[in-house]
Amino acid sequence: MTTPPLTQPPDRAPRKPATPCPPGAIDCHIHLFGPAAQHPFHPDSKYVSEDALPEMHMHLQDTLGLEGAVVVSGAGYGMNPNHLAAMLALHPGRFKGVALLPEDVTPAELQRLDALGVRGARFVSPGHRGALPRLSPRIAAMVAELGWHVQFYPSADDLVDFADTLQALPNDAVVLDHFAAIPAAGGVDQPAFQRLLRLLDTGKFWVKLSGPMRCTPGDMPYADVTPLARALVAAAPERLVWGTDWPHVNMNGRAMPNDGDLFDLLTEWVPDAAVRRRILVDNPRVLYGPFGS
């Protein structure tokens, strides 16, 4: 078996942003890994990572001025939510979770995860490799009973292929990762982005202003993503959340962004401070519930 590459670590010296961070702001998309001795990576993972522990992200939170974060099950662990559960149990109130679930997940397991703060189930389109869950209407229906949302990560422009199925799910909300993964080079007039805007008009869909590096091969400041971000802010600021995508896996061969600089991109994307506060503070609590003890 070929050993997957060690993914480049994040910048360990995050800068304090120039942009003021409103009290109560939440990072709505991070991953945690390790400790490696207790939590080995799935053999089919396309990467392995150094430890990215809760304490390390809490240092980043303190530097940026954040209050908490949403932990998305790392693809490195496959469809096994045990690592996520362990991390949430360590820091109740500081983190919420979104899980990658196996097809045979039981109602009892979902109740356990719900009690720990999991609020969504994540699926990916076939364009993403690895041991990852594809869209499952059965699981979506199960988690809808708990009030969870579906989080979906498209690939390239295949949101168009999944839009009708996602819209038909019984969940109150469908959250699309990383600008719905729409290639920034295509601009706001490309069919996938226009379909995204129509989905936002339904009132059911949310978008994460996260991972701009997932939409473009360029480096900071990911200038071709800015028109997409501004169009989303103009269309539905009440259903946008922001995230760092820390620790930025699968960036080998590319320049690693500093998370303080990533936060400052919000000023470029969302010039209005009141709208930024809505995206950073209010919207996360609508989607994930209250944070804190």
Side-chain angles (χ1 to χ4, degrees):
M1 179 180 297
T2 303
T3 302
L6 180 66
T7 191
Q8 182 183 176
D11 189 326
R12 303 295 194 198
R15 288 187 281 276
K16 186 175 179 60
T19 306
C21 184
I26 303 296
D27 183 342
C28 290
H29 195 107
I30 72 164
H31 305 290
L32 297 175
F33 302 107
Q38 291 102 314
H39 299 282
F41 277 72
H42 191 282
D44 291 334
S45 175
K46 64 180 182 180
Y47 65 87
V48 293
S49 172
E50 297 177 2
D51 284 354
L53 302 173
E55 295 78 10
M56 297 163 67
H57 193 268
M58 286 191 286
H59 169 69
L60 176 61
Q61 291 177 32
D62 292 342
T63 302
L64 300 186
L66 305 170
E67 184 174 290
V70 178
V71 184
V72 179
S73 284
Y77 296 119
M79 291 175 278
N80 183 339
N82 287 337
H83 177 266
L84 174 65
M87 297 301 102
L88 295 178
L90 286 172
H91 300 282
R94 188 81 179 244
F95 296 97
K96 295 293 178 72
V98 174
L100 297 168
L101 299 170
E103 184 64 32
D104 61 355
V105 67
T106 65
E109 173 69 346
L110 294 178
Q111 290 284 354
R112 178 180 81 100
L113 294 171
D114 184 76
L116 289 169
V118 175
R119 295 294 178 262
R122 191 191 197 200
F123 305 95
V124 305
S125 75
H128 298 281
R129 298 182 292 111
L132 297 166
R134 308 307 176 191
L135 187 59
S136 168
R138 171 184 168 271
I139 293 179
M142 291 175 69
V143 304
E145 295 181 5
L146 294 171
W148 293 11
H149 62 268
V150 159
Q151 183 170 316
F152 186 68
Y153 189 13
S155 177
D157 58 359
D158 67 6
L159 175 64
V160 173
D161 300 327
F162 289 92
D164 291 341
T165 300
L166 291 167
Q167 191 165 348
L169 294 175
N171 312 76
D172 290 338
V174 174
V175 182
L176 300 170
D177 283 6
H178 307 328
F179 295 87
I182 293 172
V188 298
D189 293 326
Q190 63 185 299
F193 194 79
Q194 288 299 308
R195 186 61 189 273
L196 174 58
L197 294 179
R198 293 196 296 275
L199 291 173
L200 285 172
D201 285 342
T202 69
K204 177 172 183 165
F205 285 78
W206 294 63
V207 179
K208 289 192 176 185
L209 302 180
S210 62
M213 67 288 292
R214 311 303 176 192
C215 305
T216 178
D219 294 326
M220 281 286 293
Y222 312 114
D224 52 352
V225 178
T226 297
L228 306 187
R230 289 178 173 174
L232 293 171
V233 171
E238 74 281 6
R239 275 175 284 109
L240 301 177
V241 291
W242 170 86
T244 57
D245 194 29
W246 186 90
H248 317 297
V249 298
N250 295 319
M251 289 286 285
N252 291 3
R254 299 182 62 182
M256 180 61 67
N258 186 281
D259 286 284
D261 296 338
L262 279 177
F263 187 87
D264 279 332
L265 283 180
L266 271 174
T267 303
E268 182 79 10
W269 298 344
V270 193
D272 187 290
V275 177
R276 284 201 305 274
R277 186 189 186 284
R278 184 171 195 172
I279 291 169
L280 288 166
V281 180
D282 301 332
N283 293 351
R285 287 164 175 81
V286 174
L287 196 55
Y288 304 103
F291 285 77
S293 57

